[in-house]
Amino acid sequence: AVVDRPEEIVAITFTRKAAGEMRDRILGALRRGADATPPQSPHEHDGWMLARAALERDAEFGWHLQDNPRRLRIETIDALNAWLARQLPVSSRLGAAPVISDDPGPAYRQAARDILLATGGKEPHAEHAAALLRHLGGRFSQAEDLLVAMLKSRDHWLGRIIRPGRMDPGELRATLDRALQHFVADELRRAEESLPEQGRAEIAAIITAAAENCPGLDWLACWQGHKDFPAPAAAELARWQAMAQVLLTGGGTWRKTLTKNEGFPPPAGASKARMIEILQDLAVTSDPAAVARGKELPVPAYDDQRWQILEHLLALLPVAAAALQVEFAARGESDYIGIARAALDALGAQEAPTDLALALDVRISHLLVDEFQDTSQGQVELLMRLTAGWAPGDGRSLFCVGDPMQSIYRFREADVGRFIRAQQYGIGDLPLEPLQLRVNFRSQAGLVAWVSDTFPRIFPAQDDMSLGAVRFSPSTAWKPALAGLPVHCVAVTARDFQAEAEAVRGII
C-alpha cells in the first residue's frame, strides 16, 4: 500500500514450499479484500483492511497482482543469492550460472587432493602443504580430510583471512590468543555457575589441603598456597582442571568416593568425609557436564609450534578455496556457500558498494526475513550489505521473524547466537526493535501449561550467544483447555529400539 512497485518488497524464507505457502496466503488475503463485506473477527478485519489498501494501490498503478503473482518477490535465500550473483557475473567471479550440487563432497576432496599433491613442486603453496603433511606425520588422508572439513565451512573464515588490510602476523596471533582466552573464560564461567555458590569456598579449602598433603601429585600442585576458589579466567585453567579431576570420574560423573589418587590418602579423616558429602549433594543438585568440559579445554595461548602450523594453514586455505572454485567451474557446479559468496562479491563491501548494490538500495525498500533463527553468518552478512545505509525513520524497513527454540539448520551453519546478537544489537548499523509473541494460537491451554511447566528445566536459565543456547520463553494459550491429560509420557529403556517400536504399536 505504500510502494511504487511491488518488487520493492522482498520476502525471504528457507524452503520453496514455505515461499509458495507465503505467496498463497498473500493472494488469499487479496481475494478476501476484494469482497466488500468486512469479516467479523478483529484479526481478520485488520488483514481485510490491509488487503483493501493494497488493492487500491494495485488498481492505481495497474499491477494486476492477482493475475501476475510473480511480481511478488517471495523467494528462498539461496534463490536470492543466485539472482544477485547472476546480475554481475564478472564481479561475483561466478561466470555462467552454475548448478547447485546435491553432493559437493567429491569437488571438496579433489580440490584438497590437488593442493596436497603440490608438495615438492614449485608452486608457492608447496612448502605450506609439505609442512601440514609433516605435522600430521605424513598421513595424506588425514590432511585431505582436514582440508575438506575447512572447505565445507569456508564461509566462516574466507572473508577474514583474504580481506584487504589483513593484520600482520604478530597482531593476528595476539588477536587469536585473546579469542582463545575468551573462549576458555566463557566455558569456565559456565562451570562456575554449575556449582552452588555457598559451597565453593569449602571445596577450595579442602582441595588446597589435599594438594599440600600430597606434594607428589604433580597435577594437583597448582593448588598449593591457594585457598580461594579459582576465578573463571584463562589464567586459572590449571586449577579448574585439577579440581575437575578431584570431583569427577573419568566418565564425567560426580565421584562417589575418594582415594589417594585424588589427594586423599588414608587416614584422610574429616576432610575426605566432608568432600564426599559435598559430592553427594552435587549429584542431586548439579549437572557435572560444564565442569567436565573444563578438562578438555585447550591451553589458552598458541605456543610457537602450534602458531607455526597455523601460519602454514592460513597461507594454504585461500589457495584451497581457489582450487575449489576452479574445480566447481570445471564441473559447472557450485555449493550454497559458493553462491552466497558470489552474491556478496556482486554487492561489494559495505564501504565500497558495487553498481548493483547502489541500484538495489533504490529498488528494495522493505526486506522481510522468515525463520531468522536459521540464518548463517554469510546470510547475515548479505542482510547487512542489502541494508547498508538504511536508517530508522527513512521509510525503509527490515523485519525478521523467528523462534530460536526451533533452530534446525545447524548443518547449514545456522547459529542461534546470531539471532540473540541481532535481537540485542541489530544487524550492521541498523537497530531492531525486539517484539516477543506471548500468545500461543495453535495449542489448547492444557498442553501449553504442561510445556510451560516442563521445558524451563530443559532449556538453559540464560541466553548464551557463544553456545547458541536460548532460555525457554513461556506463552499464554488462546484456545481453552480440553478434557483429560494433555500429555502422556511413555518410558522405554534408552536405545532399546525394539521396545520403543512395541510401545508405539501398543499406543496405536
Side-chain angles (χ1 to χ4, degrees):
V2 296
V3 294
D4 295 331
R5 294 176 301 108
E7 290 85 357
E8 289 180 48
I9 306 167
V10 178
I12 302 170
T13 187
F14 263 78
T15 66
R16 287 190 292 270
K17 181 174 183 290
E21 289 174 352
M22 202 182 294
R23 183 176 284 103
D24 289 343
R25 286 190 181 193
I26 292 172
L27 293 172
L30 291 173
R31 284 193 296 271
R32 288 191 296 275
D35 184 347
T37 306
Q40 295 301 311
S41 80
H43 173 68
E44 290 181 347
H45 188 272
D46 287 346
W48 178 79
M49 291 291 291
L50 291 167
R52 299 280 290 180
L55 286 169
E56 287 179 15
R57 195 74 163 175
D58 179 286
E60 179 185 355
F61 285 90
W63 296 335
H64 305 293
L65 284 178
Q66 291 174 281
D67 299 323
N68 190 16
R70 291 187 66 83
R71 294 199 68 180
L72 297 171
R73 291 286 305 276
I74 304 169
E75 51 196 331
T76 66
I77 198 157
D78 295 319
L80 177 64
N81 278 329
W83 179 83
L84 289 168
R86 284 197 301 270
Q87 302 312 298
L88 290 178
V90 175
S91 62
S92 70
R93 302 182 180 89
L94 197 61
V99 175
I100 296 180
S101 173
D102 291 330
D103 180 19
Y108 296 146
R109 197 154 293 281
Q110 187 61 52
R113 196 168 294 149
D114 290 345
I115 291 299
L116 294 172
L117 288 173
T119 304
K122 295 182 179 179
E123 290 88 346
H125 62 273
E127 63 168 304
H128 304 300
L132 177 61
L133 284 168
R134 281 196 303 273
H135 177 70
L136 297 175
R139 293 185 289 274
F140 190 95
S141 61
Q142 189 176 350
E144 187 181 298
D145 289 345
L146 173 65
L147 288 178
V148 166
M150 294 301 293
L151 288 171
K152 285 180 181 177
S153 62
R154 65 193 185 282
D155 56 331
H156 286 191
W157 49 262
L158 192 57
R160 291 173 171 82
I161 65 176
I162 65 171
R163 65 187 178 192
R166 271 182 58 193
M167 302 177 194
D168 67 69
E171 187 182 356
L172 180 60
R173 181 172 181 176
T175 299
L176 292 176
D177 277 346
R178 283 195 300 272
L180 204 53
Q181 289 158 15
H182 287 313
F183 169 73
V184 169
D186 283 345
E187 289 290 341
L188 294 180
R189 198 171 296 111
R190 293 183 195 102
E192 181 184 58
E193 290 167 357
S194 71
L195 295 170
E197 187 174 357
Q198 62 273 19
R200 294 172 194 167
E202 192 172 7
I203 290 173
I206 294 173
I207 294 177
T208 298
E212 291 171 351
N213 291 334
C214 299
L217 292 178
D218 293 340
W219 58 269
L220 199 53
C222 56
W223 271 86
Q224 292 177 12
H226 294 280
K227 294 188 177 180
D228 59 320
F229 193 81
E236 293 278 30
L237 178 60
R239 290 178 68 203
W240 276 98
Q241 292 180 328
M243 178 170 63
Q245 195 164 336
V246 172
L247 300 178
L248 302 175
T249 66
T253 59
W254 300 115
R255 291 190 186 276
K256 292 183 172 62
T257 187
L258 296 162
T259 69
K260 63 180 181 180
N261 295 328
E262 292 81 50
F264 297 89
S271 63
K272 176 179 177 179
R274 178 56 189 146
M275 184 62 99
I276 290 174
E277 287 179 6
I278 292 171
L279 287 166
Q280 290 170 344
D281 290 340
L282 290 173
V284 175
T285 61
S286 301
D287 182 0
V291 177
R293 275 199 303 272
K295 293 200 293 186
E296 309 300 324
L297 292 175
V299 176
Y302 289 95
D303 58 32
D304 289 342
Q305 184 179 3
R306 286 199 298 165
W307 179 251
Q308 192 172 38
I309 190 61
L310 189 57
E311 282 191 309
H312 287 300
L313 268 175
L314 288 171
L316 199 59
L317 287 174
V319 185
L324 177 62
Q325 201 164 340
V326 171
E327 183 63 29
F328 274 143
R331 295 167 182 255
E333 296 177 348
S334 188
D335 61 357
Y336 289 108
I337 297 173
I339 297 293
R341 292 300 314 176
L344 292 175
D345 289 339
L347 290 172
Q350 281 185 278
E351 60 276 7
T354 62
D355 291 342
L356 174 63
L358 295 172
L360 287 175
D361 194 44
V362 176
R363 289 158 58 185
I364 297 179
S365 302
H366 304 282
L367 194 56
L368 302 98
V369 185
D370 191 23
E371 305 292 0
F372 186 72
Q373 76 277 358
D374 289 322
T375 48
S376 69
Q377 178 58 38
Q379 291 158 355
V380 171
E381 196 173 337
L382 176 70
L383 295 178
M384 289 169 61
R385 296 197 190 183
L386 288 173
T387 58
W390 291 20
D394 68 359
R396 294 174 291 191
S397 65
L398 171 64
F399 178 84
C400 303
V401 60
D403 181 355
M405 294 188 291
Q406 292 188 34
S407 183
I408 61 170
Y409 279 90
R410 193 68 187 235
F411 70 95
R412 286 281 301 273
E413 308 302 340
D415 183 349
V416 180
R418 297 189 188 97
F419 183 99
I420 302 168
R421 191 175 294 109
Q423 198 173 27
Q424 294 179 3
Y425 305 113
I427 292 178
D429 295 327
L430 194 64
L432 296 176
E433 177 190 357
L435 300 174
Q436 179 73 45
L437 178 64
R438 301 191 182 279
V439 178
N440 183 319
F441 294 96
R442 187 173 291 175
S443 307
Q444 59 111 340
L447 180 58
V448 173
W450 184 88
V451 169
S452 295
D453 179 60
T454 305
F455 276 72
R457 291 175 291 194
I458 299 170
F459 281 73
Q462 298 294 331
D463 293 339
D464 191 316
M465 281 191 280
S466 58
L467 274 185
V470 291
R471 61 175 181 252
F472 179 75
S473 178
S475 58
T476 303
W478 180 263
K479 295 182 178 179
L482 300 176
L485 291 172
V487 174
H488 298 271
C489 294
V490 180
V492 295
T493 304
R495 303 193 67 77
D496 188 342
F497 302 120
Q498 181 67 27
E500 183 179 341
E502 289 172 0
V504 170
R505 182 180 64 179
I507 293 167
I508 293 170

